[in-house]
Amino acid sequence: MLKSGLKLYVYGYCSDYHDLVTVQLAKKNINESQLFGIINEDSLVQISTCNREELYFIAPEGIVNELSLGSGFLLEGYQAFEKLVLTITGLKTPILGDVHIYQQVKECIGKKKRLNDLLRQELDKAFALARFINREFDVKGKRESFAAIFFQEILESISGYETVAIVGSGTMAMEFVFYCIHHSMSFVDIYSRSYIEGQASFKKHGIRNFLTSDFRPSNYNIIILALSVDQPIFKAHQFESVKTPTHLLDLGECPAVENFNHSNLVRYNLSHFSERKTSKEPMRQKMISEVKPIIMHTYRENAFNLP
């Protein structure tokens, strides 16, 4: 609870399951919103991840009534705090127990040179409670991976054996690499900006590591792009030589490949996972219903001295 007259707010143009086009529009609308001119810079933090664009801020009660915020959603007080906790626990992400969201939100906050003490206090409380919930409910242990969902869906449509290219070297890319290893896929290549340390451990599984500049899409029927880019780095003509049906998964907030149509290319992005109801959905709803009373009690009683 904050001192009298001040509240925590969250303002955003996308909820938890919007497509990437909406997220890009959200980023533009938030950056141009009146909030940046009214709220002190150190009293707000922008959370920008693969499928969300949200602005958390501390402000006097009623100030938002004076602003024109367009069509974005606005939550205040406890509702804003609850949304933040459910997000960083991985309970309100497209995939239940998303292991990346906690660090992504941390990195967004870390970009701020200076934070208002009250906002810092609310963020610290949310992270402390999220850690407690993750320990008590093992949210991450119940996770259904992007790789498992994607491969289970497409493998039946692949004729012959799989030829897989994974472009990227971050945690998301490695999730796909380890899935391929675990399922003994015989033809898997990793492409990265520089050679990956410890690639000997991949070689023993038959996985080769090349530089991104050497990537040739026509050699594969499954391509995973796990890249963080500000604009497409692959041009349409690079994919014109694709002769057999190829499944292309682009996981970035900004697509890594130019938008174009090709009869042999089936494209997927994060919104594909968002729209798909997974086998974990009933579990998610049950866990959220069990967690919400804990968040409410902790918030109202200011009981953040958690084990």
Side-chain angles (χ1 to χ4, degrees), residues 9 17 27 43 60 92 119 129 145 148 169-170 184 188 250 269 271 283 287:
Y9 293 85
Y17 305 110
K27 187 188 291 288
S43 295
K92 291 287 269 182
L119 179 56
L129 185 51
S145 76
S169 58
S184 303
V188 181
D250 201 337
N269 58 32
S271 63
M283 182 187 296
M287 291 177 72

Side-chain angles (χ1 to χ4, degrees), residues 232-265:
I233 62 171
F234 297 115
K235 304 298 183 184
H237 70 81
Q238 292 177 262
F239 288 81
E240 289 173 356
S241 57
V242 172
K243 296 181 176 61
T244 57
T246 300
H247 298 266
L248 171 66
L249 172 60
D250 201 337
L251 289 165
E253 179 182 339
C254 172
V257 182
E258 284 182 330
N259 189 26
F260 72 101
N261 293 320
H262 190 300
S263 59
N264 283 328
L265 202 60

Side-chain angles (χ1 to χ4, degrees), residues 7-269:
K7 275 188 175 180
L8 174 69
Y9 293 85
V10 58
Y11 167 61
Y13 269 81
C14 53
S15 63
D16 301 293
Y17 305 110
H18 273 309
D19 59 83
L20 294 176
V21 174
T22 306
V23 173
Q24 290 299 310
L25 177 62
K27 187 188 291 288
K28 179 177 183 293
N29 288 338
I30 281 185
N31 287 337
E32 295 175 357
S33 77
Q34 287 182 299
L35 285 170
F36 284 100
I38 302 295
I39 309 300
N40 290 336
E41 174 65 23
D42 66 353
S43 295
L44 53 82
V45 62
Q46 191 165 348
I47 305 301
S48 178
T49 68
C50 294
N51 69 311
R52 75 185 64 247
E53 198 67 41
E54 298 166 353
L55 198 64
Y56 285 86
F57 60 96
I58 299 290
E61 292 185 49
I63 191 172
V64 293
N65 298 331
E66 304 169 15
L67 304 177
S68 175
L69 295 179
S71 58
F73 69 85
L74 179 71
L75 301 175
E76 61 183 69
Y78 170 72
Q79 287 185 318
F81 183 81
E82 180 189 79
K83 179 170 179 58
L84 178 58
V85 174
L86 291 175
T87 295
I88 56 183
T89 54
L91 284 169
K92 291 287 269 182
T93 49
I95 301 299
L96 174 64
D98 183 355
V99 296
H100 310 289
I101 188 66
Y102 185 97
Q103 189 58 35
Q104 287 175 327
V105 175
K106 275 277 192 186
E107 288 172 1
C108 290
I109 296 169
K111 292 177 183 177
K112 297 286 293 187
K113 293 180 179 177
R114 187 166 175 268
L115 274 182
N116 172 291
D117 288 342
L118 290 176
L119 179 56
R120 170 70 68 187
Q121 183 182 87
E122 292 299 285
L123 295 171
D124 287 346
K125 287 177 179 179
F127 275 99
L129 185 51
R131 288 192 297 271
F132 173 78
I133 289 169
N134 265 315
R135 285 197 306 270
E136 293 298 306
F137 289 84
D138 188 26
V139 180
K140 293 177 182 176
K142 297 174 176 64
R143 180 173 180 265
E144 186 174 22
S145 76
F146 285 99
I149 294 172
F150 179 66
F151 279 116
Q152 286 166 13
E153 184 157 325
I154 69 164
L155 286 181
E156 289 184 5
S157 62
I158 301 290
S159 58
Y161 61 91
E162 309 90 16
T163 54
V164 183
I166 299 166
V167 186
S169 58
T171 53
M172 185 68 82
M174 290 303 107
E175 176 180 314
F176 281 84
V177 171
F178 294 132
Y179 181 92
C180 292
I181 291 173
H182 182 71
H183 289 81
S184 303
M185 294 186 179
S186 57
F187 193 97
V188 181
D189 292 336
I190 309 171
Y191 289 85
S192 49
R193 291 189 177 96
S194 58
Y195 290 112
I196 300 171
E197 254 185 77
Q199 55 176 299
S201 61
F202 296 142
K203 285 182 178 178
K204 70 179 182 182
H205 294 284
I207 296 176
R208 302 177 299 176
N209 183 199
F210 300 100
L211 296 179
T212 305
S213 56
D214 297 324
F215 176 53
R216 300 293 180 269
S218 59
N219 294 335
Y220 307 95
N221 56 21
I222 302 173
I223 299 171
I224 293 101
L225 303 179
L227 299 166
S228 177
V229 294
D230 296 323
Q231 59 185 8
I233 62 171
F234 297 115
K235 304 298 183 184
H237 70 81
Q238 292 177 262
F239 288 81
E240 289 173 356
S241 57
V242 172
K243 296 181 176 61
T244 57
T246 300
H247 298 266
L248 171 66
L249 172 60
D250 201 337
L251 289 165
E253 179 182 339
C254 172
V257 182
E258 284 182 330
N259 189 26
F260 72 101
N261 293 320
H262 190 300
S263 59
N264 283 328
L265 202 60
V266 185
R267 299 184 68 161
Y268 308 84
N269 58 32

